[in-house]
Amino acid sequence: MSTRTAAQLRAERGAAYDAYLAECPARKLLDRISDKWVSLAVNALADGPQRYSDLRRRLASVSQKMLTQTLRNLERDGLVTRTVWPTVPQRVEYELTPLGHSLLPVMRAIKDWAEQHMDEVEKARAAYPGVTATAMGTPSTS
């Protein structure tokens, strides 16, 4: 029986997750957290616990179904907790867990990057031959 160092054990555990493989659990998690509503919901919850209605107002254009599904998935993945308060009417709040808070810097950085570089991206899109702004999901200015 051979003994392995702690570094070897860590390397073996790390090799079990290869996000480039379609069946890898890490790939499925990346798929989940790359969803636009997940990113926006995590960023919105950075300010502390929020009621469903507050989140829905803050996340402009999210449907009730999509927000509910997003929050359930985040709760199932351990990123969000759902607290039901015994009041009349019943009050429900959503809050980031410690695991959810650990994801926040990444989500915040992506959101900040998008906001800071949107003008450059729009210029690149406009210069790209054969593609109109409406085909890219943005209103055309021409």
Side-chain angles (χ1 to χ4, degrees):
M1 176 160 107
S2 66
T3 58
R4 294 174 292 197
T5 66
Q8 289 170 324
L9 291 171
R10 278 193 304 276
E12 287 173 15
R13 280 194 303 268
Y17 298 114
D18 182 352
Y20 291 109
L21 300 174
E23 67 278 357
C24 178
R27 168 79 164 266
K28 291 174 178 39
L29 182 58
L30 283 173
D31 288 345
R32 166 104 57 223
I33 63 176
S34 65
D35 177 80
K36 73 177 177 180
W37 297 119
V38 167
S39 174
L40 294 171
V42 168
N43 277 298
L45 289 167
D47 298 333
Q50 303 224 7
R51 295 177 73 164
Y52 181 92
S53 58
D54 296 330
L55 284 169
R56 183 127 188 253
R57 270 192 298 277
R58 186 137 186 224
L59 304 179
S61 78
V62 67
S63 69
Q64 182 176 346
K65 178 183 176 184
M66 200 66 230
L67 182 56
T68 299
Q69 181 180 331
T70 298
L71 291 169
R72 282 184 184 152
N73 287 336
L74 288 171
E75 186 179 8
R76 185 179 64 229
D77 289 341
L79 301 171
V80 166
T81 58
R82 179 179 183 266
T83 304
V84 179
W85 299 95
T87 59
V88 177
Q90 192 177 54
R91 193 174 101 210
V92 178
E93 288 183 340
Y94 295 88
E95 183 175 15
L96 291 176
T97 64
L99 184 61
H101 276 285
S102 72
L103 180 60
L104 187 56
V106 176
M107 292 299 190
R108 198 174 264 159
I110 292 170
K111 177 184 161 290
D112 291 347
W113 184 91
E115 291 170 350
Q116 291 170 9
H117 296 282
M118 199 61 234
D119 288 340
E120 295 167 73
V121 171
E122 289 292 341
K123 285 178 189 171
R125 287 176 176 175
Y128 194 79
V131 178
T132 64
T134 52
M136 294 179 288
T138 58
S140 178
T141 57
S142 50

